[in-house]
Amino acid sequence: MSRTVIKVENLYKQYRLGQVSTGTLAHDINRWWHQMRGLEDPYEKITTLNNRTDGDESEYVWALQNINFEVKQGEVLGIIGKNGAGKSTLLKLLSKVTSPTKGSIKVNGRVASLLEVGTGFHKELTGRENVFLNGAILGMTKVEINRKFDEIVAFSGIGKYIDTPVKRYSSGMYVRLAFAVAAHLDPEIMIIDEVLAVGDIEFQKKCLGKMKDVSEGGRTVLFVSHNMAAVKTLCTRAILMNNGTIFKEGDTSHLIDEYIHINNNFSENGIIARNAQRIHQTGEAFFEKVQVIDKANEPVSIMGFKSTVQILAEIHVEKEISDAIFAFSILNSNNDKIVFTEFPENSFKHIMLQPGRHRIKFVIPVQMNPGTYYISPNVMKSSGESIDYLENVYKFEVTKDATEGSHHYRWNISHGNVYGSAQNLSIDKIS
């Protein structure tokens, strides 16, 4: 039987809103007076759930409440939930970056954590120097780092820049080097936050492969991501968090379905609210509309299975973006990515977007089997950093024409990850 390597019991974490310190002198005296009388801390009373949109008047917020779970050796545990659910706070507690307000965490094994871009890096030092610095922070000896240095650099794929100060690195290069160091620590427990979303697709696949190798070697992985396809592929079990609590725990596929159901973003008319749940948002630009359209440029929610997919999107650009890349995914009702298209297709090319509103129209030359599909749009920089990324914002149905025979299905996309190219692409500034 696998041994328990992480055990979390009755875990709570409280923060004070708008303050750096834990409280004022008056609060400290009040806490002391209650403690002297054997009473409960007046500022640790649990009132409302941690909902970042609520206008609660309380100065304090419970980022986590009553968290209980165990992780066995060799498990790959996915932690999913919308932004603000408490996922990153939980990982910081497990990594001992911060301490709990209440409860206990027992960790049995060497831990490597990758929580934020550039964590443990010094911007003035070169990549080489930061490998040794970050490795030492993670618990590697100098001899161990020396022995693995070439392997770390090769995995990162930035050998040309290894003697350049990291302040000149893109966010994607940061992640490449940071993950390479953490992955070669040979940890018994690897804790990975959403930072992999910053890297390009090729590196994300490389990282997922490395995490799979780590888990197959009997080590444990805790993985936080909004990429449901990656979670489904990698994780043997999942935890769904909501408002600082564990909403459900169990089979990964079932919890992903639950997550999509309770947090779907889609709008039948394709109009995207400014306050829609955005997985990544830098403030430089945001999608206002995503639709599937017919030949008359009218939005459609139902189309025949022999039709190609025509997409119209509108984006509001707040400030000039010199190196924009658009990426659109089509997912089925199981949240499997059926089609992915990125343009410009050549990674050395990109699009200049001036401030204002822009309309994008293109055709994805694929045909899909009958079923329900969702579109997830993403605009990002050439480094791979997402500027605005939403999941499942437009829902459409593909229906079978009763006059067509089933033999046509063999020509259609039914599963897998198809990297299609956009045709008849146009981008127009409309205001």
Side-chain angles (χ1 to χ4, degrees), residues 251-415:
D251 177 73
T252 304
S253 295
H254 290 161
L255 287 191
I256 287 174
D257 291 342
E258 185 90 11
Y259 171 67
I260 293 171
H261 178 72
I262 66 176
N263 291 297
N264 68 61
N265 251 337
F266 64 81
S267 168
E268 296 292 347
N269 62 10
I271 307 300
I272 303 170
R274 183 67 183 90
N275 62 351
Q277 180 71 34
R278 297 171 190 264
I279 295 175
H280 296 289
Q281 228 289 312
T282 65
E284 297 167 83
F286 54 90
F287 286 103
E288 294 182 321
K289 180 189 292 185
V290 174
Q291 298 173 328
V292 173
I293 57 174
D294 59 18
K295 292 181 180 179
N297 294 327
E298 294 296 325
V300 293
S301 58
I302 299 177
M303 57 185 288
F305 87 103
K306 291 186 71 177
S307 304
T308 57
V309 182
Q310 302 181 80
I311 293 178
L312 179 145
E314 291 183 6
I315 188 168
H316 185 101
V317 180
E318 294 284 353
K319 66 178 186 178
E320 181 182 297
I321 302 169
S322 62
D323 59 342
I325 296 173
F326 288 95
F328 287 78
S329 302
I330 299 179
L331 300 92
N332 63 14
S333 55
N334 292 325
N335 214 52
D336 297 318
K337 187 182 291 184
I338 302 299
V339 176
F340 176 85
T341 185
E342 182 177 291
F343 52 91
E345 295 174 61
N346 189 325
S347 59
F348 296 102
K349 296 180 181 179
H350 37 257
I351 298 167
M352 167 78 76
L353 292 177
Q354 298 290 344
R357 294 176 63 241
H358 301 258
R359 180 179 290 122
I360 305 129
K361 290 170 62 178
F362 60 96
V363 176
I364 301 178
V366 297
Q367 298 170 355
M368 290 172 291
N369 282 341
T372 302
Y373 297 91
Y374 304 89
I375 296 177
S376 297
N378 187 7
V379 58
M380 53 192 176
K381 297 179 181 178
S382 57
S383 64
E385 178 186 8
S386 289
I387 298 169
D388 191 27
Y389 173 38
L390 299 100
E391 199 168 60
N392 302 339
V393 296
Y394 190 80
K395 173 184 175 183
F396 66 99
E397 303 282 339
V398 176
T399 61
K400 181 179 180 295
D401 187 335
T403 64
E404 300 292 345
S406 61
H407 64 280
H408 287 283
Y409 281 84
R410 70 178 186 271
W411 301 108
N412 298 330
I413 303 302
S414 60
H415 65 278

Side-chain angles (χ1 to χ4, degrees), residues 25-98:
L25 178 60
H27 284 190
D28 290 341
I29 293 173
N30 198 12
R31 276 194 165 115
W32 172 80
W33 179 238
H34 277 72
Q35 185 179 9
M36 290 294 292
R37 293 183 294 159
L39 301 177
E40 182 184 2
D41 188 327
Y43 304 111
E44 290 186 1
K45 291 178 181 177
I46 299 173
T47 53
T48 57
L49 291 172
N50 176 25
N51 188 334
R52 55 195 167 87
T53 62
D54 281 352
D56 194 338
E57 295 181 358
S58 173
E59 299 179 68
Y60 294 90
V61 63
W62 287 98
L64 295 174
Q65 295 185 37
N66 195 29
I67 304 295
N68 293 273
F69 67 92
E70 292 185 4
V71 185
K72 301 292 185 181
Q73 181 181 356
E75 265 196 299
V76 184
L77 178 68
I79 303 176
I80 60 177
K82 64 183 179 180
N83 291 337
K87 307 183 299 297
S88 295
T89 299
L90 177 59
L91 294 197
K92 287 177 180 178
L93 289 169
L94 294 172
S95 304
K96 298 183 179 180
V97 172
T98 186

Side-chain angles (χ1 to χ4, degrees), residues 150-171:
D150 290 342
E151 192 177 347
I152 290 170
V153 175
F155 186 92
S156 71
I158 60 165
K160 182 178 179 180
Y161 306 96
I162 197 64
D163 290 310
T164 300
V166 298
K167 65 182 179 182
R168 299 194 177 100
Y169 284 14
S170 67
S171 54

Side-chain angles (χ1 to χ4, degrees), residues 42 85 96 148 155 178 194 201 203 235 238 245 286 344 367 423 427:
K96 298 183 179 180
K148 297 181 178 180
F155 186 92
E194 185 61 54
I201 292 170
F203 187 68
C235 300
T245 63
F286 54 90
Q367 298 170 355
Q423 295 182 353
I427 300 178

